[in-house]
RNA sequence: GCCGCUUUAGCUCAGGUGGUAGAGCACAUCAUUCGUAAUGAUGGGGUCAGAGGUUCGAGUCCUCUAAGCGGCACCA
């Protein structure tokens, strides 16, 4: 006697099914349309294959293309397997390793056979074609449970060293699954998969690039070839995605930086930025803004040396831990050897003293703190610096303004007592919030917890982590709205850190702000204050930044606004463009009035047609274009063409000046002028 | 640092199989004074990333170096 399975569906109904039946059977029982549309099934919350039999009574939700997140994950995973199968079909002897789904597609790491060169982008079209062939063949994907020993034997027999290595590390006795594609190819995989390769849309994927990647992400392991693809449910989605990529490329800060004449980079100073007048104007506005913010919240600004004796860096611990990322210079006048035939080179004397360029400002700030005697009554002391630092980053890491070797932080260190930590961190959360809101960013707050390699006792870490948690809770940000999340193992070796991740206009995230509670450096550099009891105590040192670095933050702003910066940040806020040269006099008058009102304005008196001027300044992303012709000159008005708006507005000059003055007011000053 | 690709005028790019560089934009000069996204003509401009090699001859082939791009690793 068999007992029927009770399968509950999302609409609340319950279906009775024969034992051994699967979600596919339920779908078929409901209707042929659903049976065709179903891609996989959510059984008691777990995504499973459509034709994997039920284990018992279950709650079932069938997944179709309408359940986009689940469906995308499924098809991308399938594309990854298909990719691996295609590569092996085309290039026998290729070893396969891993191939997960990604945010927009999938990849698979493979090792080309020794007999041929590593794969290159030239191989991609052939692989794509093979994948389409496999989709067309509509090979059934079949799940099978294997023993670990069988799996290892299979991989070793096939010469799949990486797979075998992985299988050997899987726990003994665990149920391991493989998926057959047809009956001639298989990969070990937890699944789930679609019922057959034919469920994939042959026109909804594209192999995009080839890259190197270390086996298991470890630099000391062999390097594999990673083949990336983007994969979607249908052709339309793929097309949309490719379009989005093009749009993102258009707002690339490196491209816009050149087009808008903001900055440049060149070989002789790679990783350091040459700021041009327009780009540096953005910087100056940001710096002035940040100074106002910090002045208003109890920070005092200092300036500390760029070069310090290496002995100082030894004491702070950086020379031991961080030397490979530091630039060092001999403390001497270089003697250039001009006698030899070869190129003249400075010579360094053997006993030269070495100095290092600061990779961070913290030690110098402790040194300032240590001057004189500090009473607990003086705490907290907040020392800020627009600190220019140099770090010798791995060359492959450099990227436009986003990762550079010379950068300036909006840095500050808060020296406070144990009791003051939570309040100081809370106040920082508020300050950071007000800054990000002023730029129109939304953000997530994350807490990076103790890493494996770390200084200090467990008790200290417990305490330090809890302080940050408490402070964020008090600021009302430890919740979903602020994307609150804890990241185990991601903290610095000396302290846990709070991180602010901005989300830009096209959904990318950027880590910028941070605050860290440090008890190690004050100890190493012997910073103390005199407490209420007359004894010496260690202050806690909070490292914090909001922009992170000016370079990076400007890069993010450029991409976020696609170059169309808010008026207060725009390097040129308005251009006055006369239509005919008879009006040059009036144009200069308009320019003078705007200048007097503090507006960054230029007039374009070139002998060019107005169409040409409009086009040029629009492309240059000037927020306001003041067009003046005979009519305006007679009436004392201006025709304002605002970037991004279709209609122009004609208004009296005085009114226009007032309007622009208000538009150009930085957000932190807006309330006072309103 | 690792893998792959790239490097030609200020910018974007063209230059089958080696025979001594080309376009558009930009720039300069001249003409044009033209009301909302490119007026026309003329002209100047390049040690083809750098070094070495093969060759009668190298932008083109080879080696090395550097930087850039896409990833990986790194981001204390």
């Amino acid at each position: 006697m068999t007992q029927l399975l009770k399968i509950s569906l999302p609409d609340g109904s319950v279906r009775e099914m024969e034992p051994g039946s699967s979600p596919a059977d339920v779908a078929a029982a409901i209707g042929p349309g659903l049976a065709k549309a179903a891609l996989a099934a959510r059984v008691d919350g777990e995504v499973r294959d459509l034709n994997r039999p039920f284990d018992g009574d279950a709650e079932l939700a069938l997944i179709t293309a309408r359940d986009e997140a689940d469906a995308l994950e499924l098809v991308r995973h399938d594309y990854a397997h298909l990719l691996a199968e295609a590569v092996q079909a085309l290039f026998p002897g290729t070893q396969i390793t891993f191939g997960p789904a990604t945010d927009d597609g999938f990849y698979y790491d493979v090792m080309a056979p020794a007999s041929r060169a590593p794969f290159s982008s030239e191989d991609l079209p052939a692989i794509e074609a093979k994948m389409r062939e496999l989709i067309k063949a509509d090979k059934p994907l079949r799940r099978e449970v294997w023993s670990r020993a069988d799996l290892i034997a299979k991989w070793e027999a096939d010469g799949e060293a990486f797979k075998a290595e992985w299988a050997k590390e899987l726990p003994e006795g665990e149920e391991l699954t493989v998926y057959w594609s047809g009956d001639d190819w298989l990969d070990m995989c937890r699944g789930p998969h679609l019922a057959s390769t034919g469920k994939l849309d042959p026109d909804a994927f594209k192999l995009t690039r080839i890259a190197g990647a270390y086996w298991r992400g470890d630099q000391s392991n062999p390097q594999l070839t990673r083949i990336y693809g983007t994969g979607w449910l249908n052709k339309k989605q793929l097309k949309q995605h490719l379009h989005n990529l093009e749009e993102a490329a258009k707002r690339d800060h490196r491209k816009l930086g050149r087009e808008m004449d903001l900055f440049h980079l060149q070989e002789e100073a790679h990783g350091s930025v040459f700021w041009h007048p327009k780009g540096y104007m953005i910087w100056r506005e940001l710096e002035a803004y940040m100074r106002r913010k910090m002045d208003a919240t109890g920070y005092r600004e200092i300036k500390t040396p760029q070069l310090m004796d290496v002995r100082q860096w030894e004491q702070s611990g950086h020379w031991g831990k961080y030397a490979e990322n530091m630039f060092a210079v001999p403390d001497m006048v270089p003697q250039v050897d001009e006698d030899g035939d070869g190129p003249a080179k400075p010579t360094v004397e053997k006993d030269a003293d070495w100095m290092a360029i600061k990779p961070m400002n913290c030690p110098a700030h402790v040194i300032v703190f240590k001057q004189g005697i500090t009473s607990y009554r003086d705490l907290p002391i907040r020392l800020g610096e627009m600190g220019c630092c140099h770090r010798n980053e791995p060359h492959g890491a450099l990227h436009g303004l986003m990762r550079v070797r010379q950068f300036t932080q909006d840095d500050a260190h808060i020296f406070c007592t144990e009791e003051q930590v939570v309040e100081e961190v809370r106040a920082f959360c508020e300050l950071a919030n007000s800054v990000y809101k002023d730029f129109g960013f939304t953000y997530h707050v994350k807490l990076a917890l103790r890493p494996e390699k770390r200084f200090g006792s467990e008790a200290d870490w417990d305490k330090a982590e809890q302080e940050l948690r408490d402070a964020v809770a008090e600021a009302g940000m430890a919740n979903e709205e602020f994307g609150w999340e804890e990241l185990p193992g991601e903290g610095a070796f000396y302290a846990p850190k709070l991180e602010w991740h901005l989300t830009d206009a096209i959904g990318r995230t950027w880590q910028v702000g941070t605050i860290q509670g440090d008890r190690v450096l004050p100890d190493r550099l012997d910073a103390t204050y005199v407490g209420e009891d007359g004894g010496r105590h260690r202050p806690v040192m909070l490292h914090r930044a909001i922009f992170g670095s000016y370079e990076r933050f400007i890069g993010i702003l450029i991409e976020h606004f696609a170059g169309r910066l808010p008026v207060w940040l725009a390097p040129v806020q308005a251009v006055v463009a006369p239509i005919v040269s008879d009006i040059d006099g009036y144009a200069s008058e308009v320019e003078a009035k705007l200048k007097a009102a503090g507006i960054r304005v230029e007039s374009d008196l070139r002998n060019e047609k107005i169409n040409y001027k409009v086009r040029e300044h629009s492309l240059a992303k000037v927020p306001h274009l003041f067009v003046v012709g005979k009519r305006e000159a007679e009436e004392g008005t201006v025709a304002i063409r605002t970037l991004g708006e279709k209609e122009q507005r004609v208004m009296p000059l005085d009114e226009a000046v007032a309007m622009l003055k208000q538009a150009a007011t930085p957000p932190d000053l807006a309330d006072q002028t309103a």
Side-chain angles (χ1 to χ4, degrees):
Chain A
M1 51 172 266
T2 55
Q3 193 163 0
L4 293 176
L5 300 173
K6 289 188 171 55
I7 306 302
S8 327
L9 296 168
D11 65 0
S13 66
V14 176
R15 278 190 183 253
E16 300 205 320
M17 301 295 295
E18 293 289 334
S21 60
S22 70
D25 299 324
V26 178
I30 294 172
L34 186 57
K36 198 173 169 212
L39 299 171
R42 198 172 270 284
V43 178
D44 293 329
E46 184 194 353
V47 180
R48 289 191 177 185
D49 301 331
L50 215 47
N51 48 23
R52 178 168 164 193
F54 294 110
D55 306 323
D57 293 349
E59 289 193 8
L60 169 69
L62 291 161
I63 294 172
T64 68
R66 290 188 176 198
D67 307 290
E68 197 164 295
D70 282 335
L72 280 172
E73 171 88 21
L74 271 164
V75 301
R76 285 170 181 163
H77 194 182
D78 276 38
Y79 280 125
H81 276 249
L82 205 57
L83 168 58
E85 183 177 352
V87 172
Q88 286 199 315
L90 286 172
F91 311 102
T94 302
Q95 291 191 61
I96 56 173
T97 64
F98 278 102
T102 63
D103 287 346
D104 71 349
F106 56 94
Y107 67 77
Y108 211 106
D109 286 349
V110 300
M111 173 73 104
S115 57
R116 62 154 286 158
F119 299 112
S120 76
S121 45
E122 283 164 24
D123 296 314
L124 297 184
I127 300 172
E128 270 186 21
K130 191 68 178 176
M131 287 171 72
R132 297 210 167 85
E133 214 176 280
L134 292 170
I135 291 174
K136 201 171 170 201
D138 197 17
K139 299 174 79 173
L141 299 170
R142 189 163 37 84
R143 179 176 182 274
E144 233 173 59
V145 178
W146 282 35
S147 74
R148 200 179 69 127
D150 287 348
L151 252 186
I152 295 170
K154 146 88 179 157
W155 293 132
E156 284 184 341
D158 290 353
E160 296 276 9
F162 297 103
K163 283 284 190 191
E165 178 187 325
W166 183 248
K168 280 177 192 166
E169 286 177 30
L170 290 170
E172 190 95 45
E174 191 173 303
E175 200 173 72
L176 302 174
T177 54
V178 301
Y179 276 79
W180 283 95
S181 168
D183 48 17
D184 57 343
W185 191 82
L186 69 75
D187 192 1
M188 71 179 165
C189 179
R190 201 177 293 134
H193 281 282
L194 302 178
S196 69
T197 57
K199 292 268 184 187
L200 291 169
D201 184 336
D203 296 319
F205 79 97
K206 182 173 162 53
L207 298 182
T208 48
R209 55 181 173 262
I210 295 251
Y214 299 106
W215 166 235
R216 307 177 81 167
D218 187 334
Q219 207 173 155
S220 56
N221 284 339
Q223 192 149 29
L224 309 166
T225 303
R226 178 168 297 177
I227 303 175
Y228 279 94
T230 182
W232 300 86
L233 294 173
N234 52 56
K235 190 175 180 177
K236 195 174 158 198
Q237 284 185 344
L238 173 65
K239 222 175 134 189
Q240 180 64 42
H241 176 69
L242 295 176
H243 177 74
N244 290 348
L245 287 182
E246 279 172 29
E247 289 303 306
K250 278 185 198 159
R251 57 171 76 211
D252 189 307
H253 73 280
R254 294 165 299 188
K255 178 175 148 71
L256 288 171
R258 192 170 49 240
E259 288 173 0
M260 296 171 70
D261 193 19
L262 302 177
F263 64 89
H264 85 271
L265 296 157
Q266 70 179 48
E267 201 171 325
E268 288 75 8
H270 71 106
S272 301
V273 183
F274 290 80
W275 287 100
H276 297 187
K278 286 180 180 170
Y280 200 56
M281 186 52 76
I282 302 171
W283 180 307
R284 291 184 7 158
E285 281 291 345
L286 288 177
E287 198 174 55
Y289 167 90
M290 187 51 80
R291 283 216 165 90
R292 291 193 298 271
K293 281 283 183 184
M294 289 173 72
D295 287 349
T297 46
Y299 289 85
R300 286 179 296 164
E301 187 171 345
I302 59 174
K303 200 74 182 171
T304 63
Q306 213 59 44
L307 275 173
M308 289 203 290
D309 197 291
V310 157
R311 283 186 290 273
Q312 183 62 55
W313 297 106
E314 281 166 357
Q315 202 186 342
S316 68
H318 293 101
W319 195 244
K321 281 228 166 237
Y322 201 64
E324 62 182 27
N325 288 298
M326 289 171 68
F327 293 100
V329 292
D331 184 9
M332 54 173 280
V333 177
Q335 309 198 331
V336 179
D337 171 23
E338 293 174 28
D339 301 335
D341 312 335
K345 277 185 183 168
T347 55
V348 178
E349 287 164 20
K350 278 204 296 282
D351 53 353
D353 282 333
W354 285 86
M355 305 191 79
I357 307 175
K358 65 177 173 187
M360 57 201 64
N361 308 298
C362 344
H365 287 201
V366 178
I367 291 168
V368 172
F369 173 84
K370 281 175 65 180
Q371 296 305 110
I373 292 170
T374 303
S375 158
Y376 73 97
R377 295 170 189 275
D378 300 324
L379 300 181
I381 288 177
R382 309 183 188 92
L383 298 177
E385 178 171 7
M386 306 305 176
C388 176
C389 298
H390 289 76
R391 296 181 190 176
N392 197 351
E393 301 284 5
H395 288 196
L398 300 177
H399 179 90
L401 295 178
M402 301 307 195
R403 190 88 179 267
V404 286
R405 304 209 297 179
Q406 175 190 311
F407 54 92
T408 301
Q409 299 173 306
D410 61 319
D411 201 9
H413 294 91
I414 302 170
F415 298 89
C416 64
T417 66
E418 297 276 344
E419 294 71 34
Q420 291 168 331
V421 170
V422 173
E423 170 53 22
E424 284 301 312
V425 175
R426 187 204 60 76
F428 177 76
C429 290
E430 241 170 52
L431 176 59
N433 177 65
S434 78
V435 171
Y436 298 142
K437 291 295 169 229
D438 277 346
F439 291 90
F441 286 116
T442 57
Y443 61 85
H444 289 175
V445 187
K446 299 180 192 295
L447 173 58
L449 302 168
R450 67 194 81 181
E452 270 182 43
K453 285 183 189 166
R454 56 180 180 262
F455 282 3
S457 68
E458 293 307 290
D460 277 352
W461 277 94
D462 288 343
K463 190 173 174 187
E465 289 174 358
Q466 196 54 44
E467 282 167 353
L468 296 183
R469 233 178 245 127
D470 289 347
V472 176
E474 281 193 28
M477 293 172 183
N479 54 52
E480 211 166 296
E481 186 192 343
F482 292 91
W484 174 248
E485 192 184 357
E486 302 198 359
L487 309 170
E490 302 268 313
F493 74 89
Y494 55 86
K497 54 182 180 180
L498 285 174
E499 299 173 348
W500 275 257
H501 296 252
L502 299 188
T503 303
D504 73 12
I506 55 173
R508 291 171 301 184
T509 59
W510 306 92
Q511 202 227 296
V512 284
T514 181
I515 187 164
Q516 308 155 21
D518 180 7
R519 288 166 169 82
V520 174
L521 201 58
D523 197 50
R524 282 195 80 105
L525 297 181
D526 192 29
T528 59
Y529 67 91
V530 179
E532 211 169 347
D533 57 2
R536 297 218 167 226
H537 300 272
R538 284 272 177 252
V540 177
M541 182 183 189
L542 302 173
H543 306 247
R544 41 112 297 161
I546 298 176
F547 290 158
S549 83
Y550 282 88
E551 285 80 358
R552 195 170 150 78
F553 199 73
I554 292 172
I556 294 167
L557 287 175
I558 292 169
E559 301 208 351
H560 177 63
F561 291 110
R564 300 176 167 211
L565 295 164
V567 180
W568 72 282
L569 288 173
V572 177
Q573 295 169 318
V575 166
V576 184
I579 293 167
V580 290
S581 53
D582 291 352
I583 309 300
D584 287 0
Y586 180 63
S588 301
E589 190 186 318
V590 172
E591 183 193 353
K593 278 212 173 178
L594 286 166
K595 273 214 171 103
I599 302 300
R600 294 189 288 271
V601 58
E602 292 174 357
S603 46
D604 183 354
L605 305 183
R606 289 175 304 171
N607 174 14
E608 294 290 352
K609 292 169 81 166
I610 193 65
N611 292 28
Y612 181 86
K613 294 183 186 180
V614 166
R615 176 182 155 81
E616 188 155 289
H617 299 299
S618 298
L619 288 175
K621 301 182 170 57
V622 174
H624 295 285
L625 188 56
F626 284 31
V627 177
V628 291
K630 289 202 179 77
R631 209 155 54 225
E632 285 77 13
E634 279 164 19
E635 295 170 358
T637 58
V638 289
I640 302 178
R641 191 188 162 108
T642 298
L643 191 64
E645 286 176 19
K646 289 224 168 77
E647 299 293 315
Q648 67 164 343
R649 289 172 292 168
V650 179
M651 60 173 83
L653 178 54
D654 291 342
E655 206 177 295
V657 172
M659 181 279 292
L660 197 46
K661 194 172 173 183
Q662 197 184 336
T665 304
D668 61 312
L669 300 176
D671 291 339
Q672 295 157 29
T673 55

